[in-house]
Amino acid sequence: MIRIDSVTKRYPDGTVAVDRLSLEIPDRSITVLVGPSGCGKTTTLRMINRMVEPSEGTILLDGKDITQQPVNTLRRSMGYVIQNAGLFQHRTIVDNIATVPRMLGWGKEKARARARELMERVGLDATLAKRYPYQLSGGQQQRVGVARALAADPPVLLMDEPFSAVDPVVRKGLQEELLRIQDELGKTIVFVTHDIDEAVKIGTMVAVMRTGGKLAQFAPPAELLSHPADEFVEDFLGADRGIRRLSFFPSAGLQLLTAPIVAIDSTAEQITARDTAGAPYLLVTDLEGRPLGWGEPDRLTAGDIRAEHLLSHGRPFVAGTDSLRAALDCAVLSPTGWAVAVDAEGRAAGVVSQQTIAEAIRSAHAEGRETDRAARATQVTKAVG
Amino acid sequence: MSGFFDIPSDLQHSWLGLIGLHLREALLPVLFGLVCALPLAQLCVRFRWLYPPVLWVTTVLYAIPSLAFFVVLIDYTGQTELTVMIPLGVYSLVVLVPAIVDGVRSVPQETLAAATAMGFGPVRRYVQVQLPIAVPAIIAGLRIAVVSSVSLVSVGTLIGNQGALGNLLADAMFYHRPELAVNSVVTTAVLAIVLDALLVGLRVLLTPWMPSGARRKPKAATARPEPATLALEDAVK
């Protein structure tokens, strides 16, 4: 565990970059430092590998003061990923990745073999090994940066705005890749970003910092969205935090209706016998059960249902795995106001109305309040005890 | 009638011998300049305040005409090759120091930060990261220094025939053989062009990591005074 203990960084000109910051960074999880520019988040990160020395306070790594070991030994035990990757432009991709193992005294072949293994892990094609950084796209370079940081298998990974300089689509891919790699490797990751969406998406814990290097709130993302500590955090989270909070509620509890679903080869009796259960339209599926679109019950002629005459069903959500946010999004975008749920194979699992989703949201919030109350009660007990 | 490549015996060298002499007198000073410029430039990068005075001193030294240099040096080193090479070595600094400083400074901040974060000490970082990335800039500086040095060697004629190929210019007048002057000028020019091409080849060899077609020239190297102009000035003086 990395423990930052009332650390202050004051520069000779009097500016305070970090002000009595205390944080406990849990092992094997992603802790995100987020805040506006000038809030001291990068300074904090750089104090962990001593690229910046604190003016006051101590940083403990597994209970030991980080100043007690040689600085370069400390740094080689922590992977570091920087914005724009910071690759060595004069070395090939494979040699870039092999840098730290080589410094640790590995043989050339062993280090390169390890580098190739990491290229695969971060999703880089093996044919890129002998290329130079200028021949790679920004996203690929960033993957090389991640692979290089992981090369010597360090327990700690420090990431300084690693995905800020790539376009949103590539960034989304890199974020998902990071989460996947983290699932496999379980590193202790400290991640700096100015993007609150990124923080909420990838963080196990999020530390919101404010200008002047003060900690505003340290909490899991869901709690951050439901209970911002103050106006600053609330502002920083942005206007649609209510909607974004729905990402943390599963759609598993939604009551899905299967009654308004008909297959494309249904007979006239089957169509008229359908109880639409309040739905104004019927969802027509193909023979495998995949949704094709919405049709008005009166206008569906048995044996002559054509997909091109149906109303678009919009983007469906995956029942159970997607969040309430995804379900609500589908319902809002659907021309009928009803969301279509599918299973993992893309077969229609049911339909659900906006009203039903709204009820699910209300009850999820109520449950959230219950757990909060319980949590606060325990805190009070602890404080009293 | 003597031929184009028949060198008067007072020069005590064949045509090829003169070329060898010329190369030595031109290249040794640049090598000496490079050896001095590397640590000097590194000091200028580390201590930013040092760069302007260093630049100022090298520029002032460059402004001293070579003849004035010779007059001072002859008392110590006599009418020797060394007297010719010392000013040339000093002149090369004006190109090499800024070329190396700009080259080393052109290494992106992220690259330096990444190197530090990976546990590179200052020496390792300089040798393994900064210097290799500065190679294109250093070679761009070397090209100018070498070409300028090749042209300046000829001035050595004035102190006891120490000008290698330049000596042919004086002999052309003594013996009324204008073809010797042509020989001198053409050989010197070809020598400069060949050396320049060799340096370009060296850079291509050393920097497979540079995007082809996007090879940049450091600004400082091109902003220095034109060596040809100064050679002319020296000749006039």
Side-chain angles (χ1 to χ4, degrees):
Chain A
M1 185 174 67
I2 301 168
R3 191 183 156 138
I4 298 172
D5 202 1
S6 58
V7 159
T8 297
K9 177 63 193 179
R10 198 178 293 108
Y11 284 102
D13 66 354
T15 2
V16 177
V18 177
D19 192 8
R20 280 163 298 166
L21 177 75
S22 290
L23 269 187
E24 286 196 3
I25 294 166
D27 274 345
R28 305 174 76 79
S29 64
I30 303 180
T31 300
V32 181
L33 307 178
V34 65
S37 47
C39 72
K41 52 193 191 296
T42 295
T43 308
T44 305
L45 186 82
R46 290 188 169 198
M47 283 195 284
I48 298 175
N49 71 352
R50 294 182 61 196
M51 285 169 77
V52 175
E53 297 284 358
S55 316
E56 285 159 32
T58 48
I59 297 175
L60 304 174
L61 175 63
D62 296 326
K64 269 181 282 182
D65 192 329
I66 55 165
T67 56
Q68 278 173 358
Q69 56 175 317
V71 65
N72 284 339
T73 315
L74 175 82
R75 288 177 185 161
R76 285 169 205 174
S77 73
M78 294 179 173
Y80 190 83
V81 187
I82 197 169
Q83 189 176 357
N84 292 323
L87 299 182
F88 296 150
Q89 49 184 295
H90 60 296
R91 290 193 181 164
T92 57
I93 300 310
V94 69
D95 285 342
N96 259 287
I97 301 173
T99 304
V100 179
R102 291 285 287 144
M103 271 200 288
L104 293 173
W106 295 27
K108 202 168 200 153
E109 282 320 301
K110 190 182 166 201
R112 284 195 173 158
R114 168 75 178 151
R116 283 172 201 279
E117 181 190 318
L118 278 162
M119 284 182 71
E120 199 186 319
R121 171 146 274 158
V122 300
L124 282 170
D125 200 87
T127 53
L128 299 176
K130 291 285 180 198
R131 301 263 177 93
Y132 286 97
Y134 82 91
Q135 294 166 305
L136 269 58
S137 70
Q140 287 172 324
Q141 290 195 18
Q142 208 48 261
R143 282 169 200 263
V144 177
V146 174
R148 183 172 68 174
L150 290 170
D153 202 17
V156 177
L157 210 56
L158 307 177
M159 308 184 85
D160 188 3
E161 306 217 13
F163 308 145
S164 301
V166 292
D167 67 68
V169 177
V170 176
R171 189 183 313 149
K172 189 162 174 271
L174 287 168
Q175 289 166 347
E176 275 154 16
E177 199 85 347
L178 178 70
L179 290 174
R180 185 183 60 74
I181 294 170
Q182 173 63 359
D183 272 348
E184 291 168 17
L185 302 180
K187 301 286 181 192
T188 303
I189 299 178
V190 188
F191 189 108
V192 164
T193 180
H194 59 257
D195 177 355
I196 184 69
D197 286 321
E198 186 168 63
V200 166
K201 179 170 179 186
I202 67 164
T204 318
M205 290 293 282
V206 177
V208 184
M209 294 177 70
R210 70 172 91 230
T211 322
K214 287 194 171 74
L215 182 66
Q217 189 171 6
F218 187 45
E223 191 187 322
L224 206 64
L225 289 168
S226 60
H227 296 98
D230 55 20
E231 238 170 77
F232 169 79
V233 179
E234 199 172 344
D235 268 0
F236 194 69
L237 286 167
D240 54 351
R241 77 178 161 90
I243 300 287
R244 268 186 287 162
R245 197 184 155 208
L246 296 180
S247 314
F248 295 97
F249 298 134
S251 62
L254 279 178
Q255 282 287 327
L256 299 177
L257 298 179
T258 48
I261 301 179
V262 290
I264 195 159
D265 60 346
S266 303
T267 59
E269 292 78 50
Q270 278 171 319
I271 292 172
T272 42
R274 276 291 169 193
D275 169 18
T276 58
Y281 294 89
L282 289 175
L283 183 73
V284 180
T285 68
D286 65 11
L287 297 176
E288 271 90 48
R290 284 186 293 265
L292 290 172
W294 297 97
E296 272 182 81
D298 304 340
R299 292 204 181 169
L300 291 176
T301 334
D304 189 31
I305 304 175
R306 285 197 222 135
E308 59 267 29
H309 293 158
L310 299 171
L311 271 175
S312 153
H313 60 76
R315 193 170 55 90
F317 70 98
V318 182
T321 45
D322 273 350
S323 65
L324 274 185
R325 185 182 178 175
L328 180 65
D329 194 53
C330 296
V332 172
L333 287 178
S334 166
T336 57
W338 284 59
V340 176
V342 293
D343 61 16
E345 277 80 45
R347 287 186 297 258
V351 294
V352 59
S353 69
Q354 282 177 3
Q355 283 79 358
T356 314
I357 296 172
E359 277 157 29
I361 292 169
R362 268 195 298 276
S363 66
H365 278 198
E367 257 173 58
R369 273 193 293 276
E370 278 306 308
T371 25
D372 287 339
R373 240 193 305 265
R376 242 171 278 145
T378 7
Q379 273 170 2
V380 170
T381 332
K382 267 188 207 158
V384 170
Chain B
M1 189 66 205
S2 313
F4 189 74
F5 294 107
D6 291 333
I7 308 301
S9 60
D10 66 319
L11 297 184
Q12 297 178 355
H13 279 289
S14 64
W15 180 69
L16 287 175
L18 282 179
I19 290 178
L21 198 63
H22 202 100
L23 282 176
R24 189 168 74 200
E25 282 188 56
L27 296 184
L28 278 182
V30 178
L31 194 67
F32 160 82
L34 186 63
V35 169
C36 291
L38 279 172
L40 201 57
Q42 186 52 18
L43 284 177
C44 290
V45 172
R46 260 201 111 92
F47 308 103
R48 287 185 151 265
W49 56 268
L50 201 61
Y51 190 39
V54 165
L55 213 54
W56 186 79
V57 169
T58 56
T59 311
V60 166
L61 286 175
Y62 192 51
I64 301 174
S66 51
L67 277 183
F69 245 122
F70 294 157
V71 169
V72 175
L73 286 172
I74 274 178
D75 280 350
Y76 304 94
T77 52
Q79 297 192 354
T80 59
E81 279 177 35
L82 193 61
T83 311
V84 181
M85 291 197 287
I86 290 173
L88 295 188
V90 170
Y91 291 158
S92 72
L93 292 179
V94 84
V95 178
L96 293 177
V97 171
I100 301 171
V101 170
D102 289 347
V104 169
R105 277 192 189 160
S106 75
V107 179
Q109 276 308 311
E110 302 94 70
T111 308
L112 289 181
T116 307
M118 281 190 285
F120 279 68
V123 176
R124 189 197 286 265
R125 201 176 76 165
Y126 179 65
V127 175
Q128 292 189 4
V129 181
Q130 290 175 300
L131 215 47
I133 293 178
V135 157
I138 296 175
I139 292 192
L142 273 179
R143 287 174 62 188
I144 295 173
V146 163
V147 169
S148 131
S149 195
V150 165
S151 84
L152 282 171
V153 164
S154 307
V155 188
T157 313
L158 297 170
I159 50 159
N161 273 356
Q162 297 297 350
L165 288 166
N167 297 342
L168 292 174
L169 292 171
D171 275 16
M173 285 195 286
F174 296 150
Y175 303 113
H176 302 288
R177 283 178 58 194
E179 77 273 11
L180 288 183
V182 175
N183 185 332
S184 167
V185 171
V186 171
T187 313
T188 310
V190 169
L191 212 55
I193 290 168
V194 168
L195 287 173
D196 192 54
L198 284 177
L199 282 171
V200 172
L202 180 69
R203 190 202 51 199
V204 171
L205 216 64
L206 286 178
T207 58
W209 47 269
M210 278 187 86
S212 50
R215 295 175 196 274
R216 74 218 144 84
K217 254 193 187 155
K219 268 178 269 156
T222 46
R224 296 289 108 200
E226 280 292 313
T229 336
L230 268 120
L232 268 180
E233 276 170 29
D234 279 345
V236 169
K237 280 165 189 163

